[in-house]
C-alpha cells in the first residue's frame, strides 16, 4: 500500500471488539484461575437507546482518541475499549489498538490496580441519574413531545486519570435529527455539565457553576476570547494529556476570570 494511504489507516473496530471479548477470558495465565473463571473480564456496558426509544444497557463500542500511552513519548491516535470484572461495574482495565506509524495493527492493555476502585460507565450513568437537577430536566424534556437520547459515554485516559464524557441529545417527535443539548463530564470524584463541552469543562475544572442552558450573550465574548488565546488552550491540552487535572483547573480558572473581564468591558 502506498505510504500516503497507509498513514491514514486506523485500527479496525470489529477486530478490537473480537480481541477484547477473547482477551477477557484468556488474559488469565494461571491454570486454576482460568479453569474457575476467577478473574473473568467483560467489555464495559453503558446506557443506550433501543429501537423503540427505551433506555437499555448495552456493551460499549470502541472510540478513537488522541492520547499519550503509558511509557510513550508522543501523542497517538488509538482506539479504546474499557473492561469491567464479570458481574461488577467498576473498571478493571482497557485495551487500545494503535494506528500510527510502525505501531499500526498492534495493541496494548492497561490494567488498573485491584486495590483501587475506578468508576465504570454504569456507575457514571448512575451519578447522572442521581443528580437532582439533571434527572429532573431529562424527565421534563421527555414529557414535552420529545425524546432524550444519551450519546456514547467516552472513557478518555488522560495521563494517570480518566475523563468521562457523555453528550445528551433532544429529539423532537417530528424531527429526524437529534439536537445536542448537554455535555456531561466527570472525573473520579466530581461531575459537571453544560450546554457545550467548553462550559462543562469550566464547570468541572474552572470553578464555574454547572448550567442546563447557555448564559445570555456569552457566546460572542467566549468565541472572541478563545480566538485570541491559543497559547492557554494548548497549555490546557498539554496538562490534561499529562493527567495534571488540578493544574488544568487552575488554568481554566484564569481563563474564566479573563472572560469575565472581557464581558465587563463589553457592557
Amino acid at each position: 500500500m502506498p505510504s500516503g494511504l497507509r498513514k491514514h489507516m486506523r485500527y479496525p473496530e470489529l477486530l478490537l471488539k473480537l480481541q477484547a471479548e477473547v482477551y477477557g477470558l484468556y488474559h488469565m495465565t494461571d491454570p486454576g484461575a482460568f479453569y474457575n473463571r476467577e478473574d473473568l473480564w467483560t467489555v464495559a456496558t453503558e446506557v443506550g437507546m433501543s429501537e423503540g426509544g427505551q433506555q437499555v444497557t448495552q456493551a460499549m463500542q470502541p472510540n478513537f482518541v488522541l492520547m499519550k500511552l503509558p511509557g510513550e513519548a508522543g501523542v497517538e491516535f488509538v482506539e479504546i475499549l474499557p473492561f469491567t470484572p464479570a458481574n461488577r461495574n467498576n473498571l478493571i482495565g482497557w485495551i487500545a489498538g494503535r494506528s500510527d506509524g510502525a505501531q499500526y495493527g498492534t495493541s496494548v492493555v492497561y490494567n488498573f490496580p485491584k486495590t483501587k476502585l475506578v468508576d465504570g460507565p454504569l456507575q457514571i450513568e448512575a451519578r447522572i441519574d442521581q443528580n437532582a437537577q439533571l434527572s429532573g430536566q431529562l424527565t421534563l424534556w421527555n414529557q414535552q413531545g420529545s425524546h432524550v437520547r444519551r450519546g456514547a459515554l467516552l472513557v478518555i485516559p488522560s495521563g494517570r486519570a480518566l475523563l468521562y464524557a457523555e453528550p445528551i441529545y433532544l429529539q423532537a417527535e417530528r424531527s429526524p435529527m437529534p439536537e445536542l443539548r448537554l455535555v456531561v463530564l466527570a472525573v473520579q470524584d466530581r461531575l459537571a455539565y453544560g450546554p457545550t463541552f467548553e462550559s462543562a469543562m469550566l464547570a468541572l475544572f474552572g470553578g464555574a457553576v454547572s448550567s442546563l442552558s447557555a448564559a445570555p450573550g456569552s457566546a460572542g465574548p467566549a468565541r472572541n476570547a478563545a480566538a485570541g488565546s491559543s497559547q492557554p488552550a494548548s497549555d490546557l491540552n498539554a496538562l490534561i494529556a499529562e493527567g495534571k487535572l488540578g493544574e488544568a483547573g487552575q488554568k481554566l480558572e484564569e481563563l474564566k476570570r479573563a472572560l469575565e473581564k472581557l464581558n465587563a468591558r463589553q457592557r
Side-chain angles (χ1 to χ4, degrees), residues 66-79:
L66 287 169
M67 64 168 293
K68 184 163 63 176
L69 290 169
E72 298 294 335
V75 173
E76 296 182 40
F77 184 69
V78 298
E79 183 180 8

Side-chain angles (χ1 to χ4, degrees), residues 152-211:
L153 177 65
L154 305 182
V155 182
I156 307 169
S158 297
R160 297 180 63 85
L162 289 175
L163 177 67
Y164 306 84
E166 179 173 278
I168 296 180
Y169 302 88
L170 191 62
Q171 184 172 11
E173 290 183 350
R174 299 184 179 181
S175 172
M177 185 66 66
E179 177 187 357
L180 177 65
R181 297 302 295 270
L182 284 175
V183 176
V184 182
L185 300 178
V187 289
Q188 185 69 14
D189 59 344
R190 281 175 291 163
L191 182 143
Y193 51 88
T196 64
F197 178 78
E198 290 78 7
S199 61
M201 283 287 284
L202 281 172
L204 187 63
F205 297 119
V209 177
S210 293
S211 174

Side-chain angles (χ1 to χ4, degrees), residues 4-247:
L5 291 178
R6 190 179 189 279
K7 67 181 181 180
H8 294 292
M9 294 294 292
R10 66 183 191 179
Y11 202 96
E13 294 97 324
L14 179 58
L15 177 60
L16 189 72
K17 289 168 62 177
L18 293 173
Q19 289 175 320
E21 291 178 9
V22 174
Y23 187 79
L25 172 62
Y26 286 92
H27 76 94
M28 291 181 280
T29 56
D30 178 81
F34 177 84
Y35 180 80
N36 294 306
R37 305 295 195 264
E38 293 176 2
D39 193 22
L40 183 64
W41 294 1
T42 58
V43 173
T45 55
E46 63 176 341
V47 174
M49 301 292 293
S50 67
E51 293 183 0
Q54 303 298 317
Q55 288 191 2
V56 295
T57 300
Q58 60 188 25
M60 295 188 71
Q61 299 298 312
N63 63 276
F64 291 92
V65 296
L66 287 169
M67 64 168 293
K68 184 163 63 176
L69 290 169
E72 298 294 335
V75 173
E76 296 182 40
F77 184 69
V78 298
E79 183 180 8
I80 296 288
L81 194 57
F83 291 108
T84 60
N87 302 317
R88 297 177 62 185
N89 292 328
N90 60 288
L91 282 187
I92 193 64
W94 47 260
I95 185 171
R98 306 174 73 175
S99 299
D100 289 353
Q103 300 297 336
Y104 172 72
T106 63
S107 58
V108 62
V109 174
Y110 182 87
N111 300 340
F112 293 110
K114 293 185 178 180
T115 55
K116 182 178 181 180
L117 289 179
V118 180
D119 282 347
L122 284 183
Q123 292 170 316
I124 299 297
E125 302 276 16
R127 286 166 59 182
I128 293 174
D129 292 333
Q130 292 165 4
N131 184 287
Q133 189 175 11
L134 267 179
S135 61
Q137 184 62 61
L138 297 183
T139 300
L140 182 62
W141 281 340
N142 268 325
Q143 296 174 347
Q144 295 180 337
S146 301
H147 297 289
V148 172
R149 304 186 68 91
R150 291 191 180 188
L153 177 65
L154 305 182
V155 182
I156 307 169
S158 297
R160 297 180 63 85
L162 289 175
L163 177 67
Y164 306 84
E166 179 173 278
I168 296 180
Y169 302 88
L170 191 62
Q171 184 172 11
E173 290 183 350
R174 299 184 179 181
S175 172
M177 185 66 66
E179 177 187 357
L180 177 65
R181 297 302 295 270
L182 284 175
V183 176
V184 182
L185 300 178
V187 289
Q188 185 69 14
D189 59 344
R190 281 175 291 163
L191 182 143
Y193 51 88
T196 64
F197 178 78
E198 290 78 7
S199 61
M201 283 287 284
L202 281 172
L204 187 63
F205 297 119
V209 177
S210 293
S211 174
L212 295 167
S213 60
S218 62
R223 190 180 301 112
N224 293 337
S229 59
S230 59
Q231 184 61 39
S234 62
D235 292 343
L236 280 173
N237 291 335
L239 289 171
I240 293 173
E242 295 170 8
K244 298 179 181 178
L245 302 184
E247 294 182 37

